[in-house]
């Protein structure tokens, strides 16, 4: 069967793939100019993908459709609508910022520039494919396209054995999650006879599907995707992987990988199983409550900067699940995307400051004491990002995003979940404000690794999952030192400006989404 491919519908991820291939070729044939050219080509690929995304804002498209009889629902593997375009925009913005964060590591020789940019752009193309997937096979292949390059990125840093250990943990957990997802998909296919969203939804709603199997297949599919989003109890890989990975890669995993998992869950429950809302809404509500509670309670104990942000990202995943638990209606999806867009900007901003501060050996939260006075731009960027994550003024965009999430819970008749959210917001204030007050304290003496002019050890064993409660002198220097460059400061300042602008005019975020 020959189909006419709508290249406009697939142009955005194709631009990313083209940029990835060009970056790899430049590194192979022009190694002396590899760093600057590969970063430039990668950013150009992201910009081209953004232009292709904007071109579709008034004309949603479908592609790779099967010819069907008139009485059957339309069966397309690729659907680009307004919801898809918003996910794409979040992925592209985050990917462009992460590429700039990776530039100093590539320039210093810690990471090969061609391979690094190639892997990031390929993974981002997979995230875009997840958001456009309209059948279960496309969804699982796209999720693996997100994950496989991420394994390599975590362990790609040279002279770092701990990165390989983190990549192995990440790989093992992801393989298990993929196996569970495939098992769920196979059960759904066996019960309905199709993997297309329209076919599955029609079969389930009409009662033609084998009913006892549908619930099992749905739950197994959600469990597999829950690993990607780091939903409790499937979050065990997050802290060690984030600490073992290069800091920009941890930022990528905390945003793009999480957005892909969230989009995958939203697609499964809304497009495939809308009539099973009585089954998946309570499951997602309980998962959201447990995830935000465990993430916040674990973050209270963290003294290691990256571990604190890692557990914070787990807690934020719980907040992101709330609108889906409320029913996943169009207003709920808009609330998820608004919160995800805010989270992407401010979280990458926080990681960019941590990456810059690592150049003087900052590992423990106490090492950031006086950052606002030592480097005002970086200190303000980190402080404002933490205020937005906490939902405190003047980080108004974070406050508005949390209010929208609260409203979804209340409108969905989930008053108990709104109470759990309020308690977790209060818990989050403790460690966010503790970090902010550290930034405002008088500057302390630089860490010993910076005084001696040598990087902190990257060969020592990783601390335990909760073992960040001691001082920096007692904890192995697990935060690898990067050579901060102008692009890192550029990302920090750019995210600060974006967060401030959205806080002054938060309605702009919702106008963009609509």
């Amino acid at each position: 069967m020959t189909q006419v491919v709508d290249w406009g519908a697939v142009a955005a991820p194709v631009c990313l793939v083209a940029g990835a291939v060009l970056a790899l070729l430049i590194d192979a044939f022009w190694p002396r100019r590899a760093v600057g050219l590969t970063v430039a080509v990668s950013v150009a690929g992201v910009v081209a993908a953004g232009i292709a995304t904007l071109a579709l804002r008034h004309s949603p498209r479908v592609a790779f459709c099967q010819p069907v009889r008139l009485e059957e629902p339309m069966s397309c593997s690729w659907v680009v609508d307004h919801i898809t375009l918003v996910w794409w925009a979040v992925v592209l913005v985050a990917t462009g910022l992460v590429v700039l964060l990776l530039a100093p590591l590539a320039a210093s020789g810690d990471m090969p520039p061609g391979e690094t940019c190639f892997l990031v752009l390929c993974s981002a193309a997979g995230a875009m494919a997840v958001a456009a997937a309209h059948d279960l096979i496309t969804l699982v292949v796209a999720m693996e396209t997100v994950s496989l390059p991420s394994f390599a990125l975590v362990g790609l840093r040279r002279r770092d054995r701990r990165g390989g250990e983190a990549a192995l943990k990440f790989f093992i957990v992801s393989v298990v999650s993929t196996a569970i997802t495939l098992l769920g998909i196979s059960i759904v296919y066996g019960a309905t006879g199709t993997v297309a969203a329209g076919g599955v939804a029609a079969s389930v709603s009409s009662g033609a599907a084998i009913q006892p199997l549908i619930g099992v297949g749905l739950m197994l599919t959600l469990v597999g995707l829950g690993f990607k989003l780091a939903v409790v109890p499937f979050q065990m890989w997050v802290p060690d992987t984030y600490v073992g990975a290069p800091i920009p890669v941890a930022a990528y995993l905390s945003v793009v990988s999480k957005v892909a998992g969230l989009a995958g869950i939203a697609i499964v429950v809304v497009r495939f199983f809308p009539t099973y809302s009585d089954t998946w809404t309570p499951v997602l509500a309980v998962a959201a409550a447990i995830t935000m509670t465990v993430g916040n309670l674990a973050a209270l104990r963290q003294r290691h900067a990256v571990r604190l942000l890692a557990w914070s990202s787990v807690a934020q995943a719980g907040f992101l699940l709330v609108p889906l638990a409320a029913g996943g209606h169009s207003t709920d999806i808009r609330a998820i995307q608004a919160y995800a867009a805010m989270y992407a900007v401010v979280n990458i901003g926080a990681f960019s400051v941590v990456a810059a501060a690592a150049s003087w050996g900052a590992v423990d939260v106490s090492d950031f004491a006086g950052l606002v006075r030592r480097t005002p731009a970086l200190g303000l960027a980190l402080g404002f990002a933490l205020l937005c994550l906490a939902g405190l003024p003047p980080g108004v965009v974070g406050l508005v995003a949390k209010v929208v999430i609260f409203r979804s819970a209340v409108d969905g008749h989930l008053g108990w979940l709104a109470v759990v959210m309020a308690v977790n917001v209060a818990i989050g204030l403790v460690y966010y404000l503790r970090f902010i007050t550290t930034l405002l304290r008088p500057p302390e003496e630089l860490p010993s690794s910076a005084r001696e002019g040598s990087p902190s050890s990257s060969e020592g064993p990783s601390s335990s999952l909760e073992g960040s409660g001691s001082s920096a002198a007692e904890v192995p220097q697990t935060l690898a030192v990067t050579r901060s460059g102008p692009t890192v400061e550029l990302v920090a300042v750019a995210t600060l400006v974006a967060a401030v602008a959205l806080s002054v005019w938060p309605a702009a975020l919702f106008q963009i989404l609509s």
Side-chain angles (χ1 to χ4, degrees):
M1 182 179 64
T2 302
Q3 290 192 16
V4 177
V5 178
D6 184 355
W7 290 105
V10 299
V14 168
C15 288
L16 288 184
V17 174
V21 173
L22 285 176
L24 196 61
L25 292 175
I26 289 172
D27 189 24
F29 292 101
W30 291 282
R32 293 183 179 179
R33 297 184 177 182
V35 176
L37 285 178
T38 53
V39 171
V41 166
S42 300
V43 172
V46 173
V47 172
I51 295 173
T53 299
L54 288 174
L56 297 175
R57 67 188 185 278
H58 297 308
S59 57
R61 307 281 188 91
V62 294
F64 310 116
C65 300
Q66 296 179 0
V68 294
R69 296 190 298 271
L70 293 178
E71 67 271 14
E72 294 182 353
M74 191 65 173
S75 180
C76 297
S77 297
W78 189 272
V79 175
V80 180
D81 53 18
H82 295 298
I83 293 175
T84 304
L85 294 178
V86 175
W87 290 126
W88 282 11
V90 174
V91 169
L92 289 174
V93 170
T95 302
L97 295 175
V98 169
V99 168
L100 295 177
L101 288 179
L102 286 166
L105 285 173
S108 65
D110 287 340
M111 298 181 72
E115 291 90 331
T116 300
C117 293
F118 175 82
L119 292 170
V120 170
L121 294 186
C122 286
S123 180
M128 298 181 74
V130 169
H134 214 246
D135 70 63
L136 292 173
I137 301 301
T138 301
L139 179 65
V140 73
V141 171
M143 287 300 304
E144 289 310 293
T145 306
V146 177
S147 299
L148 291 175
S150 301
F151 306 148
L153 284 170
V154 171
L156 194 61
R157 186 171 52 199
R158 296 178 176 132
R159 301 180 299 277
D160 186 4
R161 290 179 295 180
R162 193 186 59 261
E165 178 186 348
L168 180 61
K169 292 179 181 178
F170 187 19
F171 172 75
I172 292 174
V173 172
S174 183
V175 167
V176 173
S177 70
T178 301
I180 295 175
T181 302
L182 288 174
L183 178 59
I185 288 174
S186 65
I187 292 176
V188 171
Y189 176 72
T192 62
T194 181
V195 293
V200 172
S203 179
V204 171
S205 62
S206 65
I210 304 175
Q211 297 300 321
L213 291 180
I214 289 295
V216 177
L218 170 61
M219 289 299 105
L220 288 176
T221 304
L222 291 180
V223 165
L225 294 173
F227 277 95
K228 309 294 185 182
L229 187 58
V231 176
V232 174
F234 314 119
Q235 85 299 341
M236 67 288 293
W237 60 273
V238 171
D240 288 340
T241 299
Y242 282 28
V243 172
I247 298 174
V249 175
Y252 179 84
L253 294 176
S254 72
V255 174
V256 177
S257 181
K258 194 175 297 295
V259 165
L262 183 65
I265 292 176
I267 287 170
V268 168
V269 299
V270 173
R271 292 182 176 176
F272 289 82
F273 299 99
T275 57
Y276 260 64
S277 59
D278 292 341
T279 299
W280 51 260
T281 50
V283 172
L284 293 179
V286 172
I290 296 175
T291 299
M292 67 178 71
T293 303
V294 171
N296 279 320
L297 291 177
L300 285 174
R301 303 182 57 185
Q302 305 307 314
R303 301 290 180 85
H304 190 290
V306 174
R307 282 187 181 276
L308 188 148
L309 292 178
W311 282 110
S312 168
S313 73
V314 172
Q316 298 295 332
F319 286 105
L320 287 166
L321 281 177
V322 171
L324 281 180
H329 305 295
S330 59
T331 54
D332 299 323
I333 298 298
R334 186 179 299 180
I336 296 173
Q337 293 182 326
Y339 199 95
M342 178 280 299
Y343 168 76
V345 172
V346 301
N347 206 56
I348 288 181
F351 271 102
S352 66
V353 176
V354 172
S359 61
W360 60 74
V363 176
D364 195 271
V365 171
S366 62
D367 295 336
F368 289 77
L371 185 63
V372 172
R373 302 188 186 187
R374 278 187 285 176
T375 313
L378 295 180
L380 290 174
L382 179 55
F384 200 84
L386 294 174
L387 285 173
C388 291
L389 290 172
L392 283 178
V396 176
V397 63
L399 175 62
V400 172
K402 278 188 166 55
V403 169
V404 171
I405 296 292
F406 271 101
R407 183 176 178 179
S408 294
V410 174
D411 291 345
H413 307 290
L414 295 173
W416 67 270
L417 185 55
V419 173
V420 173
M421 290 175 60
V423 172
N424 276 277
V425 168
I427 296 174
L429 292 179
V430 176
Y431 60 86
Y432 286 130
L433 289 177
R434 185 169 59 197
F435 205 159
I436 293 171
T437 55
T438 301
L439 300 176
L440 300 174
R441 284 208 311 258
E444 297 178 358
E445 190 176 8
L446 292 178
S448 58
S449 58
R451 293 198 306 269
E452 296 167 1
S454 60
S456 50
S457 171
S458 60
E459 305 295 336
S462 301
S463 55
S464 65
L465 198 63
E466 297 84 21
S468 301
S470 57
S471 65
E474 298 168 346
V475 178
Q477 299 289 311
T478 55
L479 184 58
V481 171
T482 63
R483 294 168 177 84
S484 177
T487 56
V488 176
E489 283 80 4
L490 174 63
V491 171
V493 173
T495 53
L496 172 61
V497 171
V500 171
L502 290 175
S503 294
V504 173
W505 189 25
L509 181 61
F510 296 93
Q511 289 178 0
I512 293 172
L513 295 181
S514 61

